[in-house]
Amino acid sequence: MPEPAISVGIPFRNPGPYLERAVRSVFAQTLEEWELILLDDGSSDGALDFVRSIRDRRVRVLSDGEHHGLAGRLNQLAAMALSPSLARMDADDLMHPERLAVQLAKLRACSEPTVIGTEAYAIDAQDRPTGFKRTVPRRGYQAKRSFIHPSVMAPTRWFRDHPYSEDPAFGRCEDAELWTRCAATTPFAICERPLLYYREVGVFNFANYRSTQQGVAELVRRRFDQPWLTAQTRLLILQAKTWGVGGLAAVGAADWWIRSRSQALSAAQRSAAEEGLQRINATAIPHASG
């Protein structure tokens, strides 16, 4: 197989019904010179059988039967990638069909190693667009919010030189830890168009959210105790926010809070989102039985 134009890495562990949709969105890309690395992290829900049934020379399936966690698997993906560029992707989201072509062109136009994210459509559990999400690259403590994590693309060498921390104290905020660590020395950029469908409405998990906030709290303790806003103050704010969201989840209002964090879709944005979803829906995945 010739060197692919881009490597796409999807780590997964018991992803349920969404992995098939995520893989389908890769096959729906307008840029076809990709490799897809599907990295199992100890699944027991049948996902491994599904990915092993795919028959396409561009797809590699890796599994050791063990559970090591997301950060370790992301570092493994960078080590295994065959392309000079690597795109992040989660097992429950979807790529817009033009994501790889547009984002890779922007990455190649950069004069130095750059981390590039994209804007995104928010979607619900049934793939219905519910809003529009935009991020802005930041520095310091606010760098934790620079990207929608599964939208990120960067030179493969950059990921290898700047590995995700595998310290369990950071919990589920391995991305925030990386961005705050590297923001001062690495250029960050955003493709100003939605190239990802980010699944969040109808799938909220408070335990996961709390783990993320605990990881952010650890970032505060280690790096951001500043005289004008002490670590203790930041920790109190994080704790109040965490339990506030927990209260909303307890009364069934988590989706209201999630929707409030996205912008409303214009008619043109909704039409563009649905057009991309139609292409994904019409795309077939080659299987051993097909």
Side-chain angles (χ1 to χ4, degrees), residues 4-12 22-23 25-27 29 31 33-39 58 60 70 73-91 93-108 114-118 147-160 164 178-179 191 195-196:
I6 181 73
S7 295
V8 178
I10 302 181
F12 64 93
V23 171
S25 74
V26 179
F27 275 86
Q29 292 298 297
L31 186 153
E33 296 78 31
W34 45 260
E35 72 155 344
L36 173 58
I37 308 171
L38 295 165
L39 179 53
R58 299 170 295 178
R60 287 194 285 158
L70 180 58
R73 295 305 188 183
L74 292 175
N75 292 334
Q76 186 179 353
L77 285 170
M80 300 296 294
L82 298 178
S83 170
S85 302
L86 175 61
R88 277 277 293 112
M89 180 67 176
D90 282 343
D93 299 318
L94 306 173
M95 289 186 180
H96 186 278
E98 296 181 7
R99 178 194 171 186
L100 296 183
V102 172
Q103 196 173 4
L104 183 59
K106 185 176 180 68
L107 181 64
R108 286 174 169 173
T114 302
V115 179
I116 297 178
T118 81
F147 301 107
I148 300 168
H149 193 197
S151 79
V152 163
M153 181 184 293
T156 303
R157 174 54 59 188
W158 186 89
F159 282 110
R160 292 172 181 169
Y164 289 89
L178 181 60
W179 311 144
C191 285
L195 295 172
L196 182 80

Side-chain angles (χ1 to χ4, degrees), residues 226-248:
Q226 300 174 3
W228 56 272
L229 184 58
T230 66
Q232 189 60 40
T233 302
R234 289 191 190 274
L235 293 173
L236 288 172
I237 293 171
L238 284 170
Q239 186 177 51
K241 181 181 177 182
T242 299
W243 290 111
V245 172
L248 291 174

Side-chain angles (χ1 to χ4, degrees), residues 8-287:
V8 178
I10 302 181
F12 64 93
R13 183 171 189 264
N14 297 333
Y18 300 122
L19 180 59
E20 186 273 343
R21 301 284 295 146
V23 171
R24 188 183 298 272
S25 74
V26 179
F27 275 86
Q29 292 298 297
T30 57
L31 186 153
E32 299 180 348
E33 296 78 31
W34 45 260
E35 72 155 344
L36 173 58
I37 308 171
L38 295 165
L39 179 53
D40 174 50
D41 189 35
S43 294
S44 58
D45 67 348
L48 189 56
D49 292 335
F50 160 69
V51 297
R52 282 175 170 166
S53 75
I54 300 172
R55 290 295 178 264
D56 190 293
R57 63 181 180 82
R58 299 170 295 178
V59 177
R60 287 194 285 158
V61 177
L62 304 175
S63 178
D64 56 17
E66 300 177 359
H67 172 52
H68 291 284
L70 180 58
R73 295 305 188 183
L74 292 175
N75 292 334
Q76 186 179 353
L77 285 170
M80 300 296 294
L82 298 178
S83 170
S85 302
L86 175 61
R88 277 277 293 112
M89 180 67 176
D90 282 343
D92 57 350
D93 299 318
L94 306 173
M95 289 186 180
H96 186 278
E98 296 181 7
R99 178 194 171 186
L100 296 183
V102 172
Q103 196 173 4
L104 183 59
K106 185 176 180 68
L107 181 64
R108 286 174 169 173
C110 296
S111 59
E112 57 183 316
T114 302
V115 179
I116 297 178
T118 81
E119 296 173 346
Y121 299 111
I123 59 173
D124 65 12
Q126 287 76 44
D127 295 352
R128 294 174 299 205
T130 62
F132 176 79
K133 302 184 75 65
R134 174 180 286 118
T135 60
V136 178
R138 298 170 170 88
R139 294 292 181 264
Y141 176 69
Q142 294 303 326
K144 66 187 177 66
R145 301 172 56 205
S146 291
F147 301 107
I148 300 168
H149 193 197
S151 79
V152 163
M153 181 184 293
T156 303
R157 174 54 59 188
W158 186 89
F159 282 110
R160 292 172 181 169
D161 291 343
H162 303 84
Y164 289 89
S165 172
E166 298 183 38
D167 185 337
F170 290 120
R172 292 175 52 87
C173 78
E174 71 290 327
D175 56 329
E177 189 281 328
L178 181 60
W179 311 144
T180 57
R181 175 167 27 108
C182 299
T185 57
T186 297
F188 289 172
I190 297 290
C191 285
E192 295 182 348
R193 57 175 292 187
L195 295 172
L196 182 80
Y197 297 91
Y198 188 60
R199 195 181 306 278
E200 57 178 7
V201 175
V203 296
F204 179 74
N205 184 305
F206 178 66
N208 289 345
Y209 176 81
R210 182 171 57 188
S211 175
T212 299
Q213 293 298 92
Q214 290 170 343
V216 174
E218 189 63 26
L219 276 179
V220 170
R221 295 186 186 98
R222 296 190 188 187
R223 295 187 191 155
F224 297 103
D225 185 3
Q226 300 174 3
W228 56 272
L229 184 58
T230 66
Q232 189 60 40
T233 302
R234 289 191 190 274
L235 293 173
L236 288 172
I237 293 171
L238 284 170
Q239 186 177 51
K241 181 181 177 182
T242 299
W243 290 111
V245 172
L248 291 174
V251 299
D255 280 350
W256 169 83
W257 171 71
I258 291 169
R259 288 176 186 271
S260 73
R261 300 169 70 199
S262 299
Q263 300 177 28
L265 287 168
S266 68
Q269 287 173 330
R270 184 173 296 278
S271 177
E274 292 175 348
E275 183 178 345
L277 289 169
Q278 288 172 3
R279 178 180 172 109
I280 294 170
N281 291 334
T283 299
I285 300 174
H287 290 283

